[in-house]
């Protein structure tokens, strides 16, 4: 959490939850800034501090570019709204199904991001999945899951299969659907989706070039993935998140209300 996005909490909301709401609202706006939105669809969620059975999700219908802390809806793992700030908040069923599955099964993952970008959907439809064409892609070597498409995620029974397919990983390609990334913090989840999205963009462009592709060796792929797991990466993740927040600094008084 960065102090730059904190603000006085409104009545009925703890200081810790309000800070989390401000941070998640900032994440929504950054996803819009990087053009990873799909009208009002896809979702970003964050576990409520001190409330393991609750997480925050967007009020369905609010554009990501205009998301505010007060627009977020606090729900439990069964989809029940429990939010004095937004008691009538509307939650999309598909968003609840996907995100509740991960929040319930992986308590160490505080933030979950799901996108429908053109590049992400394109790679999700390619039989080979993500190829080790770039440094960005090799970050996910041995750490990327896949989930078979089952239709619009409206069936809560799919949650078990989502979790089983994700396994111990923090990133997953939803076949014929899009991308999913998670992290212990908002900063980590943001970096995961940013790298995965860029890797997909590069792959689509490389395949469109019509030239023979060069693939690094398996040893280099493993080495690169290990480099991204170095302890120093944690500091880089935080630095990158703070730098991204500066891009929307002028919006802070709006999204944190």
């Amino acid at each position: 959490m960065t102090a730059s996005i904190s603000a006085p909490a409104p009545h009925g909301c703890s200081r810790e939850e309000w800070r989390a709401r401000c941070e998640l609202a900032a994440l929504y706006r950054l996803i819009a800034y990087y053009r990873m939105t799909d009208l009002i669809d896809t979702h970003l969620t964050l576990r409520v501090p001190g409330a393991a059975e609750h997480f925050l999700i967007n009020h369905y219908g609010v554009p990501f570019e205009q998301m505010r802390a007060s627009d977020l809806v606090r729900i439990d793992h069964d989809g029940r709204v429990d939010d004095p700030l937004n008691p009538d908040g509307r939650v999309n069923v598909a968003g609840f199904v996907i995100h509740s599955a991960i929040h319930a099964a992986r308590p160490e993952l505080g933030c979950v991001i799901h996108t429908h970008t053109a590049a992400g959907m394109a790679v999700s439809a390619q039989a080979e999945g993500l190829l080790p064409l770039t440094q960005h892609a090799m970050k996910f070597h041995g750490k990327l899951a896949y989930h078979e498409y089952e239709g619009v995620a409206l069936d809560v029974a799919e949650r078990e299969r989502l979790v089983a397919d994700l396994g111990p990983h923090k990133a997953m390609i939803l076949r014929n659907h899009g991308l999913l990334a998670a992290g212990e913090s908002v900063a980590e989840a943001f970096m995961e989706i940013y790298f995965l999205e860029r890797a997909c963009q590069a792959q689509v462009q490389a395949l469109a070039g019509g030239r023979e592709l060069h693939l690094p060796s398996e040893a280099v792929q493993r080495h690169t993935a290990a480099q991204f797991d170095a302890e120093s990466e944690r500091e880089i993740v935080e630095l990158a998140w703070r730098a991204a927040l500066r891009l929307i600094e002028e919006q802070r008084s709006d999204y944190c209300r």
Side-chain angles (χ1 to χ4, degrees), residues 45 47 55 75-79 93-109 112 147 153 155-167 172 180:
T45 56
R47 195 180 305 278
F55 62 92
I75 63 174
D76 65 18
H77 292 170
D78 293 319
V93 175
F96 157 72
V97 168
I98 293 172
H99 291 256
S100 64
I102 298 169
H103 282 297
R106 298 282 299 278
E108 80 280 11
L109 298 179
V112 181
H147 175 66
D155 185 356
V156 293
E158 188 178 352
R159 293 191 293 184
E160 292 184 8
R161 295 183 289 277
L162 274 164
V163 169
D165 288 338
L166 181 61
M172 182 161 65
L180 185 143

Side-chain angles (χ1 to χ4, degrees), residues 48-251:
V48 176
E53 299 300 315
H54 292 81
F55 62 92
L56 300 166
I57 192 170
N58 58 308
H59 182 123
Y60 193 48
V62 177
F64 285 21
E65 294 89 342
Q66 299 176 12
M67 197 65 65
R68 300 175 302 176
S70 57
D71 290 321
L72 299 168
V73 184
R74 175 174 168 159
I75 63 174
D76 65 18
H77 292 170
D78 293 319
R80 292 186 291 262
V81 175
D82 181 17
D83 189 349
L85 301 185
N86 206 349
D88 299 318
R90 180 177 179 179
V91 175
N92 177 255
V93 175
F96 157 72
V97 168
I98 293 172
H99 291 256
S100 64
I102 298 169
H103 282 297
R106 298 282 299 278
E108 80 280 11
L109 298 179
C111 182
V112 181
I113 299 172
H114 170 46
T115 62
H116 296 163
T117 62
M121 290 188 290
V123 172
S124 79
Q126 293 172 351
E128 301 89 346
L130 187 66
L131 296 169
L133 295 173
T134 61
Q135 179 171 279
H136 281 61
M138 284 182 276
K139 166 182 166 64
F140 299 99
H141 179 71
K143 298 180 289 186
L144 182 63
Y146 291 84
H147 175 66
E148 191 62 38
Y149 186 64
E150 300 185 20
V152 179
L154 303 178
D155 185 356
V156 293
E158 188 178 352
R159 293 191 293 184
E160 292 184 8
R161 295 183 289 277
L162 274 164
V163 169
D165 288 338
L166 181 61
H169 304 304
K170 295 179 180 179
M172 182 161 65
I173 290 180
L174 306 176
R175 287 294 192 181
N176 309 98
H177 185 175
L179 307 178
L180 185 143
E184 295 180 15
S185 63
V186 168
E188 184 182 23
F190 173 70
M191 285 294 283
E192 289 289 306
I193 198 66
Y194 179 87
F195 269 77
L196 187 55
E197 170 64 19
R198 292 287 283 177
C200 290
Q201 291 174 357
Q203 177 167 320
V204 170
Q205 293 191 35
L207 293 176
R211 305 292 293 179
E212 184 177 355
L213 301 175
H214 176 268
L215 298 179
S217 69
E218 174 70 18
V220 168
Q221 294 175 42
R222 290 197 303 269
H223 173 64
T224 306
Q227 288 178 308
F228 279 105
D229 283 336
E231 186 63 31
S232 59
E233 280 296 305
R234 289 184 176 270
E235 180 182 7
I236 294 172
V237 165
E238 288 299 325
L239 286 173
W241 172 243
R242 292 172 189 172
L245 285 174
R246 292 177 65 180
L247 297 172
I248 58 169
E249 174 62 26
E250 74 283 356
Q251 301 178 36

